[in-house]
Amino acid sequence: MRFSTVSKLLTLATISRSASSFAPMVAFSRASAITTTKRFMSGAGEMQLKHIGYEEMSSILDEYEELGREESGMLVLDVRNTDEIAYTGKISENTITLPLPAIMQYNVFELPEDEFEELCGFAKPALDETLVFSCASGIRSVHAANFASKAGYSNLVNYAGGASEWFNK
């Protein structure tokens, strides 16, 4: 039996509310607005992840809103669960919701383009596209970036403050 994309994502969002319990072994200073983390991953080399703060995320979203995905070369993904987004709203009108449980369960970044699009409801990002991840507080977004890195993506950005910071500014 096939579920619609929304049904799959809603089901996954309710299955795993504990995905954020996998705290990353990444250390960075929140005092600095921008840091780069080298993180060693078991069996996959190291991940280059740029951590950004509120100001840089605001600039990214302005560019993303103005130019769109193709011209900006970026895809902004919110990996919070759908119930969290329903409660707070999106950080940007064009931010795409892709809950971490879906990323984990289906290993979506490893899927062929057609399966990715069928499951996620949008075109699979190209390997050279910049993926900007956001969640509630910058933890689940690191995990999502980890999955993307393992699939060959290298232009990875983590909004370290997440929705908690965004909606309290």
Side-chain angles (χ1 to χ4, degrees):
M1 172 185 261
R2 295 191 90 102
F3 291 94
S4 72
T5 300
V6 174
S7 296
K8 287 179 187 177
L9 293 177
L10 287 173
T11 301
L12 288 174
T14 57
I15 290 173
S16 178
R17 295 287 294 155
S18 63
S20 61
S21 66
F22 300 101
M25 300 301 287
V26 177
F28 64 93
S29 171
R30 286 196 188 259
S32 172
I34 304 170
T35 58
T36 301
T37 300
K38 286 186 177 181
R39 179 174 177 208
F40 292 94
M41 302 178 307
S42 58
E46 63 180 58
M47 172 177 66
Q48 296 287 327
L49 179 61
K50 180 180 180 181
H51 297 279
I52 61 171
Y54 180 86
E55 295 301 322
E56 189 161 357
M57 185 61 169
S58 183
S59 295
I60 285 172
L61 290 176
D62 287 345
E63 181 180 349
Y64 186 64
E65 293 293 328
E66 182 180 328
L67 300 175
R69 178 178 171 183
E70 285 186 32
E71 282 189 52
S72 70
M74 294 184 282
L75 176 62
V76 181
L77 296 166
D78 191 333
V79 300
R80 293 180 293 156
N81 293 317
T82 54
D83 60 330
E84 294 173 272
I85 294 169
Y87 181 73
T88 63
K90 292 181 166 192
I91 63 170
S92 170
E93 183 179 314
N94 293 320
T95 301
I96 295 176
T97 303
L98 183 59
L100 181 61
I103 293 170
M104 292 170 56
Q105 182 172 354
Y106 292 102
N107 201 7
V108 297
F109 297 112
E110 296 280 357
L111 293 174
E113 289 180 19
D114 58 336
E115 289 181 37
F116 180 96
E117 189 166 354
E118 181 182 336
L119 176 68
C120 300
F122 60 95
K124 183 177 180 179
L127 289 175
D128 64 347
E129 198 166 351
T130 298
L131 302 183
V132 181
F133 293 96
S134 179
C135 63
S137 62
I139 296 172
R140 284 177 283 177
S141 51
V142 170
H143 294 295
N146 189 4
F147 275 88
S149 177
K150 288 179 181 178
Y153 293 89
S154 58
N155 300 322
L156 304 171
V157 177
N158 174 46
Y159 174 35
S164 296
E165 178 181 67
W166 188 261
F167 292 112
N168 288 308
K169 281 282 184 171

